[in-house]
Amino acid sequence: MPTEPLLTAESLHLSFGATTALDSASVQVHAGEILALMGPSGSGKSTLLHCLAGILHPDLGRVTYAGRDLTAMHDDERSALRRTEFGFVFQFGQLVPELTCLENVALPLRLGGAPRRAALRSAAAWLERLEVSDVAGKRPGQASGGQGQRVAVARALVTRPRVVFADEPTGALDTLNGERVMQLFVAAARETGAAVVLVTHEPRVAAYSDHEAVVRDGRVRAREHVR
Amino acid sequence: MTVAHTLLGLLEAGPRHGYDLKRSYDERFGHDRPLHYGQVYSTLARLLKNGLVEVEAEPGAGPERKKYAITDAGVSDVAGWLAVPEKPEPYLQSTLYTKVVLALLTGYDANDVLDTQRSEHLRLMRELTRRRDGGDLADQLVCDHALFHLEADLRWLELTAARMQQLAAQVRA
Ligand SMILES: Nc1ncnc2c1ncn2[C@@H]1O[C@H](COP(=O)(O)OP(=O)(O)OP(=O)(O)O)[C@@H](O)[C@H]1O
Ligand SMILES: [Mg+2]
């Protein structure tokens, strides 16, 4: 590849007690690229994603984001980076149940110091883009699974992050809903130029990626070998 | 061709007579379609002509008494076959299964065979997904049909990957 990768994990090791979750895992993500992390259950996909996002700290190895060593950063510096540069979409449970969907989407902007009015306006535009304006005033518990995930995608993208981390974002949805979420998600990510690290075990979801990396036994299969 | 590569792969374990080779093929891969002797010998003759096998001399013997050995060119031919993904199409699993078993037998990385195939399947799935999402309803339905089939292949592939250790133990027993 001609360009420098945006995000790099080099030889990550991480154990939970006696369980080795990552065993020299390395992977690169380029700007604007959609990378699917695939592999069997328990192989270390989520752990790798959390390390890449600076949520988990590897025992050994290094994570570099835009030339900065994430593993050597102070905690508050790392959380600031997560808030401003990264977005997150999980399988479910990521929205604050007490807030409306609109307020949920506005929340990351508010946390970043944006004025309330501007944050809400921007959030409304994102809900519209994800075709869920109708749930703006509802709480997440009153939205359907598919609607909830679209709200979550809107919330992940509202700050225009450079990387979105998504762990089984359609895992709880049926095929049709899952596909619609992926269509909207990927289209929006491409438009904003965000890279996406997408953990999925579903080939139809992985088909929205540009490349796949396969995690097995805590290691990533070298991408050079993938034709 | 699958049969030729399979026979070649089986020869990596050591030189064999044609009938021995047929038996070993039938045991592992011929459940629903055992090979005919004629096919075994014509395949071996072709492999011989192409320099992929050689005959260990047993002077004056007929074809059924000849012992065949794989050549270096034959070994690279098998490796090349294992390394190249199959064109994603229906009823692929018997060829893929054969490749995985042969990889395990010959010491080639069987997971590589599956990873290469997954990558090829996903490549086609990406193309179909793009075509579907940009198309009209008819495109969508046609592409979806193909996508579901490819997905079924991949599910089988993941299951096989998950059972690789078990399969390796059985194949090498
Ligand atoms: N917080 C934790 N405490 C203890 N063990 C953990 C923890 N998180 C993960 N593990 C273990 O680490 C290994 C890798 O887990 P991980 O969640 O990364 O797998 P995964 O590939 O995401 O699996 P799945 O597809 O099932 O989500 C597993 O053996 C898991 O049990
Ligand atoms: Mg996981």
Side-chain angles (χ1 to χ4, degrees):
Chain A
M1 296 245 174
T3 55
E4 281 282 291
L6 179 62
L7 184 60
T8 308
E10 284 168 274
S11 312
L12 302 188
H13 290 257
L14 182 56
S15 297
F16 298 103
T19 308
T20 304
L22 295 181
D23 181 15
S24 204
S26 300
V27 73
Q28 298 188 338
V29 187
H30 288 82
E33 163 187 54
I34 301 181
L35 175 70
L37 291 181
M38 306 184 73
S41 183
S43 60
K45 303 181 295 294
S46 297
T47 307
L48 178 57
L49 180 116
H50 288 132
C51 285
L52 283 168
I55 296 171
L56 275 176
H57 201 80
D59 298 333
L60 275 176
R62 193 160 57 154
V63 178
T64 318
Y65 169 75
R68 300 160 68 190
D69 187 347
L70 222 69
T71 28
M73 266 179 208
H74 269 287
D75 279 353
D76 41 359
E77 198 185 347
R78 204 167 32 233
S79 359
L81 185 85
R82 272 205 306 270
R83 208 177 51 237
T84 52
E85 310 270 307
F86 296 166
F88 297 89
V89 187
F90 298 112
Q91 190 168 341
F92 41 59
Q94 58 221 294
L95 299 171
V96 182
E98 293 82 10
L99 300 179
T100 65
C101 290
L102 182 69
E103 287 163 344
N104 262 285
V105 177
L107 188 60
L109 295 174
R110 295 286 287 141
L111 291 175
R116 185 180 152 79
R117 186 88 68 82
L120 288 176
R121 201 170 333 112
S122 183
W126 274 99
L127 285 180
E128 189 175 344
R129 181 144 171 197
L130 274 295
E131 301 175 356
V132 275
S133 295
D134 43 333
V135 299
K138 289 187 178 174
R139 305 210 166 167
Q142 300 167 309
S144 73
Q147 289 166 337
Q149 284 309 83
R150 294 189 207 187
V151 174
V153 169
R155 195 182 70 162
L157 287 164
V158 72
T159 54
R160 298 196 160 254
R162 289 186 74 196
V163 188
V164 180
F165 297 92
D167 196 345
E168 302 280 4
T170 62
L173 305 180
D174 64 34
T175 304
L176 213 56
N177 267 298
E179 241 135 49
R180 192 69 192 133
V181 167
M182 283 311 296
Q183 281 167 10
L184 293 165
F185 180 12
V186 164
R190 294 232 189 264
E191 237 177 275
T192 60
V196 178
V197 182
L198 169 70
V199 168
T200 183
H201 66 272
E202 290 176 78
R204 291 168 66 89
V205 173
Y208 283 94
S209 68
D210 300 315
H211 304 281
E212 78 277 6
V214 180
V215 185
R216 189 177 298 123
D217 300 329
R219 250 171 230 264
V220 183
R221 179 177 196 266
R223 251 222 238 165
E224 298 76 72
H225 298 185
V226 180
R227 288 146 181 280
Chain B
M1 220 281 270
T2 310
V3 172
H5 284 118
T6 310
L7 293 182
L8 263 183
L10 288 171
L11 279 176
E12 285 202 29
R16 286 184 186 186
H17 290 108
Y19 59 80
D20 197 17
L21 200 52
K22 168 189 156 46
R23 229 191 26 223
S24 154
Y25 179 99
D26 289 349
E27 257 169 39
R28 291 191 188 277
F29 309 112
H31 299 300
D32 37 353
R33 257 190 318 140
L35 289 180
H36 297 293
Y37 278 107
Q39 195 181 0
V40 175
Y41 289 114
S42 64
T43 306
L44 284 169
R46 190 153 44 82
L47 293 172
L48 190 62
K49 204 179 86 198
N50 294 335
L52 303 178
V53 298
E54 58 196 13
V55 171
E56 297 203 336
E58 282 185 36
E64 70 280 5
R65 299 294 310 279
K66 285 182 187 163
K67 227 173 178 181
Y68 294 85
I70 189 165
T71 62
D72 288 349
V75 172
S76 10
D77 197 65
V78 173
W81 179 60
L82 291 177
V84 172
E86 296 296 311
K87 198 159 164 260
E89 54 192 19
Y91 309 112
L92 194 58
Q93 66 284 15
S94 78
T95 306
L96 267 184
Y97 172 77
T98 303
K99 278 189 164 182
V100 167
V101 170
L102 272 185
L104 290 170
L105 282 172
T106 57
Y108 192 93
D109 189 345
N111 281 315
D112 260 9
V113 172
L114 296 180
D115 286 344
T116 305
Q117 193 63 50
R118 179 192 299 104
S119 167
E120 188 68 13
H121 265 62
L122 278 175
R123 199 200 339 227
L124 183 55
M125 289 183 75
R126 286 187 184 104
E127 204 181 297
L128 287 163
T129 300
R130 267 196 300 275
R131 196 158 13 120
R132 181 198 56 194
D133 291 352
D136 58 17
L137 187 58
D139 287 330
Q140 285 170 26
L141 292 173
V142 168
C143 290
D144 266 331
H145 182 84
L147 281 165
F148 279 120
H149 276 275
L150 291 165
E151 183 187 29
D153 279 355
L154 282 181
R155 285 196 178 184
W156 175 85
L157 188 148
E158 302 305 352
L159 213 64
T160 306
R163 292 176 176 161
M164 194 57 89
Q165 282 190 340
Q166 240 178 307
L167 184 62
Q170 253 178 46
V171 162
R172 289 178 185 143

